[in-house]
Amino acid sequence: MSAITRRLTTAQALVRFLSAQYTERDGVRRRLIAGTWGIFGHGNVAGIGQALVEYSDVMPYHQGRNEQAMVHAAVGYTRQLNRLSAQAVTTSIGPGATNLVTGAALATINRLPVLLLPGDYFASRVADPLLQQLEHPVEADVSVNDTLRPVSRYFDRVTRPEALIPSALGAVRVLADPAETGAVTLALPQDVQAEAYDWPEEFFAERVWSVRRPAPDPGELAAAVAAVRAARRPLIVAGGGIHHSEAEEALKALVDATGIPVASTQAGKGSLRHDHPADLGGIGHTGTAVSDGLARTADLVIGVGTRYSDFTTASGTLFQNPDVRFLNLNITGFDAHKLAARTLVCDARTGLEQLAGALAGHRVEPSYEAEYRAGKERWERVVLAAYRADDDTAVPTQTQVLGALDAVVGDEDVVINAAGSLPGDLHKLWRSRSPRQYHLEYGYSCMGYEIPAALGVRQAAPGTPVWALVGDGTYLMNPTEIVTAVQENLPVNLVLVQNHGYASIGGLSESVGAERFGTAYRHRAADGTFTGAPLPVDLAANAASLGMDVLRAKTVRELRNALAEARASSRPTCVYVETDPAPTAPPAEAWWDVPVAEVSARDAAVRARARYDSEVAGRRRHL
């Protein structure tokens, strides 16, 4: 190390270090940590808080209202930028730190980078126990931050200033690695944050982390090409890895050359434009009839950048061809080997380009193309029927809300959702016009993700119209970042759908024999039963009280006008609509395994169990 040193506190050194980290892919350089979200308490105010003041010229600060929401905002930001730039989140110790766990799990499950900087107990133990410290009777070095270990891809507790050097380098390595990335946690004892140290000047030098595009192994590529050439009914399952790799054009080139159709997971939707003749829409439990029909007869399933969640595979019941085999192109061997697949462990764009080159001259049979194109046309008629509103003065249904939004958005708009009944309707019906328009967090399906994620997307793409779609149940989980949107002047649009309860889980509850118990918002009578009258809750007034402009829409016509007005606004705007609860979405085209009570004295559960036993019999293990 150089003899030249700089005396800084540990927190100051960390902020300076982070401000000099960059990623580079395809010759484009970005700041790795572009800003820091924070809520301050005694565990971080004198350390990280002071450092952010000291270096506000190089590290932008964003004030949040809820620690979990700050992580969601950071996740929305990095997803919009294809994981090439991320944000940090700092909290105090205690509840501030434990509130990070849900956001960390969401980030890691979705393979999205976020840096977490929670405060921790005194490393010196001079104040023991301090306020909010967890005392463990047999493990004195445990703190509440250890709850972040299983949901982090990298975790360290920095108990001495000089330990920050290897720890910080390890943290950014994981953040920038497309195969390893996720939540990264550096737990920072509050006394160490404020302790000064003579840091080697090299620690603060600009570092560029190359985001690799590994190529496929030649042997694996040859085997993959042979498998595709031998298949008569191949089907591509496009996952989120296509977007992360910016591989959309490579996918289109492969599909244009070979005619292989594409079905998309929630994370992969938009990999092809909706009007491409080979784009069949969503796949799995919330998929389209044409996608799921082809999946049942496919003899080769080509998974690109997908984790194969239970929604995608219909809990192991979807791919029913006795001779079906899998070919998985993924940057991680962990995901590539799922379903006993042939593997192409490589970057999605590089792998698709090489696969297309090796398949030159190969094309699926014309009869297969004609079959899936006809299926796509039939499904488009289903979409139009769900969107259509014959009476502009009627109360809109939920699918008509999507139809009205579809008529307003441009190619550049981003639509965000995560939980409830909307993900199913969107996956089946939404017509994606650009790679980043469809933003569904369905790895963790976290209620309360949408509003803070919209802030992150808007930060990542200034000037882009952003729509957070939420039901009343989701809104009540996490509306606090509306205040942040107003404070930061982020003109996001909120579409708030009021249906008086947990509509999605209510329908699931009924289907599994739980009789919609605990899923509606209703008055409780003196005898303990719930009455039919909805609660007199005005969520539109709540959004207005937090600083949003609010447009109330009671009819289809009013809804269309309100959406257009919101899109043209330069302020955070909420479009509030109470929907007709009559189901208008197409039913599920594939099963999803939610275990049903094996024995019960109630008829609803007995009937549900009989249906369950019938469906579960179709499950396959692909070995």
Side-chain angles (χ1 to χ4, degrees), residues 40 47 68 86 102 167-168 230 316 319 421 474 515 553:
F40 296 108
Q68 180 188 138
T102 296
S167 183
F319 305 111
S421 57
T474 292
E515 304 175 48

Side-chain angles (χ1 to χ4, degrees), residues 4-78:
I4 301 175
T5 61
R6 192 187 309 189
R7 190 161 183 81
L8 302 172
T9 69
T10 303
Q12 292 165 357
L14 178 58
V15 171
R16 289 296 307 183
F17 169 82
L18 293 175
S19 71
Q21 307 304 304
Y22 293 82
T23 63
E24 186 173 82
R25 187 171 70 181
D26 304 330
V28 178
R29 181 177 297 190
R30 294 182 182 271
R31 273 277 294 266
L32 175 58
I33 303 299
T36 299
W37 290 89
I39 296 176
F40 296 108
H42 69 94
N44 65 339
V45 65
I48 292 292
Q50 190 282 326
L52 289 171
V53 173
E54 188 98 8
Y55 297 118
S56 58
D57 58 329
V58 294
M59 181 58 70
Y61 164 71
H62 310 292
Q63 185 182 56
R65 268 73 198 174
N66 174 280
E67 292 86 358
Q68 180 188 138
M70 293 193 298
V71 185
H72 294 337
V75 166
Y77 177 90
T78 193

Side-chain angles (χ1 to χ4, degrees), residues 562-579:
L563 292 170
E565 184 176 344
R567 190 174 188 274
S569 176
S570 60
R571 279 190 35 80
T573 303
C574 170
V575 176
Y576 174 86
V577 57
E578 187 163 352
T579 55

Side-chain angles (χ1 to χ4, degrees), residues 129-277:
L130 68 152
L131 178 64
Q132 299 179 322
Q133 180 179 338
L134 172 73
E135 294 182 274
H136 196 286
V138 296
E139 294 179 278
D141 62 340
V142 166
S143 82
V144 296
N145 286 325
D146 288 276
T147 60
L148 288 159
R149 288 182 184 270
V151 293
S152 297
R153 292 290 288 167
Y154 180 94
F155 179 98
D156 196 9
R157 180 175 286 112
V158 183
T159 56
R160 291 182 59 85
E162 61 267 36
L164 177 66
I165 295 175
S167 183
L169 289 167
V172 296
R173 177 190 64 78
V174 172
L175 289 168
D177 189 324
E180 292 191 38
T181 198
V184 167
T185 300
L186 296 182
L188 302 170
Q190 54 189 295
D191 54 344
V192 176
Q193 288 183 48
E195 186 175 345
Y197 181 74
D198 292 324
W199 302 90
E201 195 65 36
E202 290 93 338
F203 185 54
F204 308 114
E206 183 177 294
R207 282 181 172 81
V208 179
W209 301 81
S210 177
V211 180
R212 299 185 298 275
R213 289 195 180 278
D217 173 81
E220 286 193 341
L221 180 62
V225 169
V228 175
R229 288 187 179 277
R232 296 177 61 83
R233 300 181 64 82
L235 174 66
I236 293 172
V237 175
I242 289 178
H243 294 310
H244 300 327
S245 177
E246 298 175 306
E248 296 89 359
E249 287 302 315
L251 175 66
K252 181 178 182 297
L254 173 67
V255 170
D256 288 345
T258 63
I260 300 173
V262 176
S264 301
T265 69
Q266 287 278 15
K269 195 171 169 78
S271 295
L272 290 180
R273 268 187 64 102
H274 74 93
D275 52 4
H276 190 286

Side-chain angles (χ1 to χ4, degrees), residues 82-99:
N82 299 319
R83 307 191 298 192
L84 297 174
S85 183
Q87 294 176 324
V89 178
T90 181
T91 72
S92 186
I93 72 171
T98 51
N99 281 351

